[in-house]
């Protein structure tokens, strides 16, 4: 990318950003930039040749890989314009592959296998350097499988930094910049597993107890889906895209690239056997007894009723195993937030976190990413940085790619993460860890948004939308005149996480709410930014209207809402600001969170301080984890040009919003 284009935009954003801020922050905004300042001394750089020409110039090293590519359409692809990441195995790597797989030479590899090898080694939607992604998920290759890499120190060569791709293939050279992307040279052909997640886990000798429990509960059967054969979409909608209503940098529409395939994928958080051994758990029977102690206490009404039926969803072992499973694939560096989180989240105020529904009915996991001495990713943690709410709130650490050995943990339809302690939904988790405001990125409210390159999609086509079809988006139903899509991430959007779910047209959509952790009174809230382009929305909870319609054209500073910036109009003290917040809340509105900064924390643009980001309290209801709730959003205006920018969903218990000290500003 020789030309850097900084798009200062927000759906309806009227916030003025000084050009000086742009100049200061430009180096931080785009990491996939081919410029001399970012190029290590060892990087090969070409202003003239493509990735294909790069390989051809070194046929003594890559002739076997070239031969494979030339038996597919993809060699010519690498000689054309685009932005590709290519992992190029050397001739030695190809020879090892042929020997392991019983091919006498590259000529003996079947055409179908050549096609698979080629697509495994190319990321088509972006040029990714090691400086772009330090560790974890890099992107989807042409088989729609994730490529990940991890860093390590080469102790035999002065602790020089080295990288492994998909755990097993070492990058002997990396960041070779070419005109249409980047080439990384690997010493081994990248693996492309054809096993489903349960079979992949059964190959791992370090997690035998969990794998046995997965089979005993028959949850293994729930992890054997991969691709929806009934899904279809016109090729032009996938490659050329369509223009969909969504204000973008002054333009009323954004380019939408529709999802080409629908996949079913999964994530498992798995304790190695060594973790179980610390608790005296040596076999499956020990684990059954442990699960019974935990879940009989969490669900006393079910104690003893289903102990011998391990396939029953209320059986203790079934609950134990299913609480470790998610019906979506999430690679390590996507578990919490996105690439903007490190720039835009004020980590001294609150730890970055996400909430996901598990495959154990009525339960959630809380993923946190503290900074400071406790840095890492934890499940069910409550604290701030290295300070915990109490000694039981440390959570279970998810081992990073570089911490989890050399075993390839990616299957055809999912990924499993090692964890360092036993993960359970016990009474402390239910009553303490989840006694909090739960904020959900709407791009997590369907597994399809995450499994099919929606949330956090990476490409070099600007800020595009991923479009999703009615009938093929789990937990969502849409009328024929509705469009639903997920935008890309942009640091200058005045939106939490830097993206939104766009709902446009004469829309009428319904989606399933995540479960609440325990019975009680909750506020159901929606975050959005107002603008004249927006619509007027009537919300319904399980078919019952949630008060009067929400007019998204009304700005927070209008008398109907009554936004007053902190420190203005005489409100100087913390108590005065708290009273202003209470008055705003009494009218059914709240300011945006103070933890996310438009443009990064180097600016003063906290969403709370801006007069656009708005939270609307849609309903206050008694909710039950045993029940399923649906939120319907219907466009009231008879105008297909209006739309909704759905920024986040909140479920907040009365114990938080009604507490004597009041709810925090985060």
């Amino acid at each position: 990318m020789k030309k850097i284009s900084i798009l200062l935009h927000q759906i309806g954003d009227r916030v003025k950003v000084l050009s000086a801020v742009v100049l200061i922050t430009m180096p931080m905004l785009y990491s996939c930039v081919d410029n001399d300042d970012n190029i290590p001394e060892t990087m090969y750089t070409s202003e003239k040749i493509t990735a294909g020409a790069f390989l051809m110039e070194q046929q003594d090293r890559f002739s076997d890989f070239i031969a494979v590519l030339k038996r597919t359409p993809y060699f010519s692809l690498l000689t054309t314009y685009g932005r590709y990441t290519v992992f190029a195995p050397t001739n030695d790597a190809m020879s090892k592959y042929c020997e392991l797989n019983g091919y006498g030479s590259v000529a003996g590899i079947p055409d179908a296998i050549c096609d698979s090898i080629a697509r495994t080694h190319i990321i088509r939607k972006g040029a990714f350097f090691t400086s772009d992604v330090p560790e974890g998920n890099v992107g989807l290759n042409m088989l729609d499988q994730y490529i990940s890499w991890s860093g390590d120190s080469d102790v035999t060569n002065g602790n020089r930094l080295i990288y492994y791709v998909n755990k097993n293939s070492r990058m002997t050279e990396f960041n070779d910049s070419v005109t249409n992307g980047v080439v990384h040279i690997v010493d081994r052909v990248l693996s492309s597993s054809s096993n489903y997640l349960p079979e992949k886990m059964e190959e791992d000798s370090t997690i035998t107890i969990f794998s046995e429990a997965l089979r005993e509960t028959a949850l293994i059967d729930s992890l054997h889906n991969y691709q929806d054969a009934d899904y279809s979409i016109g090729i032009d909608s996938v490659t050329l895209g369509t223009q969909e209503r969504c204000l973008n940098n002054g333009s009323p529409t954004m380019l939408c690239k529709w999802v080409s395939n629908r996949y079913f994928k999964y994530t498992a958080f798995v304790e190695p056997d060594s973790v179980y051994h610390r608790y005296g758990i040596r076999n499956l029977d020990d684990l059954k007894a442990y699960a019974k102690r935990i879940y009989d206490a969490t669900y006393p009404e079910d104690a003893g009723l289903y102990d011998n039926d391990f396939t029953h969803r209320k059986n203790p072992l079934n609950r134990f195993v299913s609480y470790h499973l998610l019906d979506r694939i999430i690679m390590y560096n996507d578990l919490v937030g996105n690439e903007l989180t490190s720039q835009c989240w004020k980590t001294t105020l609150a730890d970055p976190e996400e909430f996901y529904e598990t495959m154990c009915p009525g339960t959630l996991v809380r993923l946190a990413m503290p900074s400071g001495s406790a840095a890492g990713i934890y499940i069910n943690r409550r604290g701030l940085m290295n300070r915990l709410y109490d000694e039981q709130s440390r959570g279970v650490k998810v081992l990073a790619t570089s911490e989890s050995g050399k075993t390839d943990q990616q299957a055809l339809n999912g990924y499993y993460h090692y964890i360092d302690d036993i993960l359970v939904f016990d009474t402390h988790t239910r009553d303490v860890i989840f006694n909090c405001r739960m904020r959900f990125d709407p791009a997590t409210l369907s597994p399809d948004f995450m499994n099919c390159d929606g949330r956090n999609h990476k490409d070099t086509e600007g800020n595009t939308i991923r479009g999703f079809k009615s009938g093929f988006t789990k937990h969502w139903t849409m009328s024929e005149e509705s469009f639903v899509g997920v935008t890309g991430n942009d640091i200058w959007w005045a939106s939490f996480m830097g993206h939104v779910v766009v709902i446009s047209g004469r829309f009428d959509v319904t989606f399933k709410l995540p479960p609440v952790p325990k019975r009680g009174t909750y506020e159901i809230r929606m975050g959005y930014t107002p603008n004249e382009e927006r619509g007027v929305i009537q919300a319904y909870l399980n078919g019952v209207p949630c008060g009067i319609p929400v007019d998204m054209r009304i700005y927070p500073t209008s008398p109907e809402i009554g936004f007053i910036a902190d420190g203005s109009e005489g409100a100087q003290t913390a108590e005065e600001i708290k009273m202003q917040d209470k008055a705003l809340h009494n009218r059914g509105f709240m300011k945006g969170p103070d933890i996310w900064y438009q443009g990064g924390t180097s600016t003063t643009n906290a969403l709370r301080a801006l007069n656009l980001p708005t939270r609307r309290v849609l309903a206050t209801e008694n909710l039950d984890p045993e029940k399923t709730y649906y939120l319907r959003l219907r466009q009231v205006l008879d105008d297909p040009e209006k739309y909704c920018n759905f920024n986040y969903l909140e479920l907040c218990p009365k114990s938080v919003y009604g507490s004597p000290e009041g709810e925090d500003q985060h």
Side-chain angles (χ1 to χ4, degrees):
M1 284 180 266
K2 290 296 179 183
K3 297 181 180 179
I4 302 175
S5 175
I6 304 299
L7 301 178
L8 302 180
H9 67 271
Q10 156 62 23
I11 301 178
D13 187 0
R14 292 169 176 258
V15 179
K16 302 298 183 181
V17 181
L18 295 176
S19 60
V21 174
V22 179
L23 295 173
I24 292 171
T25 59
M26 277 175 64
M28 301 185 297
L29 299 185
Y30 285 85
S31 53
C32 292
V33 176
D34 188 4
N35 62 52
D36 294 338
D37 293 336
N38 284 342
I39 298 174
E41 292 181 2
T42 57
M43 179 187 284
Y44 171 92
T45 305
S46 172
E47 299 293 334
K48 298 180 181 179
I49 66 172
T50 63
F54 171 88
L55 297 174
M56 290 295 292
E57 281 193 352
Q58 303 181 66
Q59 291 198 56
D60 57 324
R61 302 173 69 194
F62 303 114
S63 58
D64 285 349
F65 185 50
I66 292 169
V68 167
L69 290 173
K70 285 190 172 181
R71 290 169 62 187
T72 75
Y74 307 117
F75 181 79
S76 60
L77 183 77
L78 298 183
T79 64
T80 61
Y81 174 80
R83 298 297 291 173
Y84 309 109
T85 301
V86 182
F87 298 92
T90 62
N91 286 344
D92 284 344
M94 292 299 303
S95 294
K96 291 175 186 175
Y97 173 83
C98 289
E99 182 180 346
L100 286 171
N101 291 276
Y103 303 122
S105 67
V106 169
I109 302 175
D111 288 347
I113 302 299
C114 287
D115 184 86
S116 178
I117 292 173
R119 291 196 289 160
T120 297
H121 289 75
I122 301 171
I123 296 176
R124 190 171 185 170
K125 298 177 181 177
F128 298 104
F129 296 81
T130 55
S131 57
D132 301 329
V133 184
E135 179 174 57
N137 171 29
V138 181
L140 289 169
N141 64 19
M142 294 183 67
L143 287 175
D144 284 340
Q145 296 177 342
Y146 284 101
I147 296 291
S148 65
W149 60 45
S150 52
D152 201 355
S153 296
D154 187 351
V155 294
T156 61
N157 289 292
N159 290 322
R160 184 172 62 91
L161 182 63
I162 56 177
Y163 287 92
Y164 289 91
V165 186
N166 290 357
K167 290 297 190 78
N168 294 318
S169 301
R170 178 174 172 173
M171 283 196 244
T172 56
E173 298 173 39
F174 42 89
N175 298 338
D176 289 333
S177 179
V178 291
T179 57
N180 60 347
V182 60
V183 179
H184 306 288
I185 300 170
V186 293
D187 69 350
R188 217 174 146 175
V189 173
L190 301 187
S191 60
S192 178
S193 177
S194 59
N195 284 340
Y196 288 133
L197 185 59
E199 287 69 38
K200 186 70 174 179
M201 291 164 60
E202 286 182 335
E203 294 177 348
D204 188 340
S205 63
T206 70
I207 58 171
T208 62
I209 297 176
F210 186 87
S211 292
E212 191 176 356
L214 185 65
R215 187 170 290 279
E216 179 81 351
T217 57
L219 287 163
I220 189 172
D221 298 333
S222 301
L223 307 179
H224 274 148
N225 294 320
Y226 175 53
Q227 188 168 355
D228 189 342
D230 295 327
Y231 180 87
S232 63
I233 188 81
I235 188 63
D236 287 349
S237 296
V238 174
T239 57
L240 301 178
T242 59
Q243 291 292 331
E244 301 296 337
R245 190 72 182 176
C246 181
L247 191 65
N248 173 42
N249 198 29
S251 173
T253 62
M254 286 179 68
L255 180 65
C256 172
K257 294 293 186 75
W258 291 79
V259 174
S260 58
N261 296 289
R262 188 192 186 200
Y263 294 106
F264 306 106
K265 298 184 181 182
Y266 308 91
T267 298
F269 300 106
V270 183
E271 299 93 350
D273 293 345
S274 58
V275 171
Y276 291 136
H277 295 167
R278 297 203 310 261
Y279 290 84
I281 300 170
R282 296 285 172 177
N283 52 48
L284 181 58
D285 286 339
D286 291 342
L287 184 58
K288 290 176 181 177
Y290 180 88
K292 179 172 172 57
R293 290 197 301 273
I294 296 295
Y295 286 97
D296 279 1
T298 306
Y299 301 97
E301 66 277 13
D302 297 330
L305 297 180
Y306 311 100
D307 289 359
N308 297 320
D309 184 357
F310 299 106
T311 65
H312 198 287
R313 302 316 308 276
K314 293 185 178 182
N315 170 271
L317 184 67
N318 196 291
R319 276 175 160 148
F320 178 91
V321 174
S322 59
Y323 190 62
H324 290 66
L325 306 176
L326 308 179
D327 63 351
R328 61 205 64 199
I329 187 170
I330 317 178
M331 305 298 283
Y332 180 79
N333 55 332
D334 293 328
L335 285 168
V336 180
N338 54 45
E339 72 272 15
L340 302 183
T341 303
S342 61
Q343 302 176 58
C344 298
W345 194 297
K346 194 73 169 180
T347 57
T348 56
L349 296 177
D351 291 343
E353 63 181 14
E354 297 269 16
F355 296 85
Y356 299 106
E357 183 175 0
T358 79
M359 292 176 67
C360 179
T363 64
L364 302 167
V365 284
R366 181 181 184 180
L367 276 290
M369 188 171 61
S371 57
S373 60
I377 295 177
Y378 295 79
I379 309 173
N380 296 344
R381 178 186 181 89
R382 188 172 182 187
L384 175 60
M385 301 173 72
N386 60 325
R387 301 190 302 277
L388 296 175
Y389 182 82
D390 60 40
E391 62 182 12
Q392 298 182 67
S393 297
R394 180 253 186 193
V396 175
K397 187 176 183 181
V398 182
L399 299 188
T401 311
S402 59
E403 296 175 314
S404 54
K406 291 293 187 285
T407 301
D408 180 12
Q409 295 151 242
Q410 183 167 228
L412 178 66
N413 68 336
Y415 192 90
Y416 66 96
H417 300 272
Y418 296 118
I419 53 180
D420 77 344
D421 208 341
I422 298 183
L423 175 64
V424 293
F425 186 70
D426 58 10
T427 55
H428 182 270
T429 301
R430 181 193 63 197
D431 300 337
V432 177
I433 301 299
F434 282 97
N435 184 31
C436 65
R437 173 191 53 243
M438 293 160 283
R439 182 178 297 132
F440 300 87
D441 178 352
T444 68
L445 295 180
S446 171
D448 287 291
F449 293 152
M450 304 184 74
N451 290 337
C452 304
D453 197 26
R455 185 194 190 217
N456 296 347
H457 60 264
K458 299 179 176 72
D459 60 33
T460 55
E461 300 168 309
N463 207 332
T464 56
I465 306 177
R466 285 288 182 268
F468 292 85
K469 290 179 63 175
S470 180
F472 296 93
T473 307
K474 187 177 180 181
H475 300 325
W476 286 66
T477 58
M478 317 161 194
S479 67
E480 290 185 1
E481 295 185 274
S482 302
F483 167 79
V484 173
V486 183
T487 69
N489 305 320
D490 194 294
I491 196 170
W492 287 108
W493 283 32
S495 300
F496 183 68
M497 294 292 186
H499 62 232
V500 297
V501 167
V502 177
I503 309 172
S504 62
R506 293 186 179 90
F507 61 82
D508 190 343
V509 303
T510 300
F511 60 90
K512 188 177 83 67
L513 293 182
V516 294
K518 62 185 299 185
R519 294 180 183 88
T521 302
Y522 292 80
E523 285 189 346
I524 303 170
R525 308 166 179 166
M526 180 173 65
Y528 67 97
T529 53
N531 185 270
E532 292 91 342
E533 301 278 339
R534 310 289 191 263
V536 179
I537 296 172
Q538 178 64 62
Y540 304 81
L541 182 66
N542 282 10
V544 179
C546 300
I548 63 174
V550 180
D551 193 337
M552 293 186 168
R553 301 168 301 176
I554 298 177
Y555 289 92
T557 51
S558 68
E560 296 99 313
I561 297 178
F563 173 95
I564 300 174
D566 295 348
S568 65
E569 301 195 17
Q572 303 293 333
T573 68
E575 188 60 32
E576 290 171 335
I577 291 173
K578 184 180 290 187
M579 292 303 295
Q580 283 186 352
D581 285 351
K582 185 176 181 180
L584 192 63
H585 188 261
N586 288 340
R587 291 190 289 273
F589 293 91
M590 299 175 67
K591 296 178 181 178
D594 65 356
I595 53 173
W596 190 269
Y597 280 65
Q598 178 198 38
T601 54
S602 60
T603 76
T604 59
N605 300 329
L607 296 190
R608 177 178 170 84
L610 303 179
N611 63 359
L612 276 177
T614 304
R615 271 182 275 189
R616 171 70 177 188
V617 180
L618 298 177
T620 303
E621 295 288 338
N622 289 315
L623 302 180
D624 186 337
E626 296 285 331
K627 297 181 180 179
T628 303
Y629 299 93
Y630 295 91
L631 190 66
R632 177 187 174 195
L633 302 177
R634 181 177 65 86
Q635 170 70 279
V636 173
L637 300 179
D638 185 20
D639 187 345
E641 299 297 306
K642 303 298 184 183
Y643 60 93
C644 163
N645 66 330
F646 183 13
N647 189 206
Y648 54 87
L649 171 78
E650 289 183 351
L651 300 177
C652 186
K654 187 175 182 179
S655 59
V656 173
Y657 71 79
S659 65
E661 61 273 17
E663 187 176 346
D664 62 45
Q665 299 176 353
H666 311 327

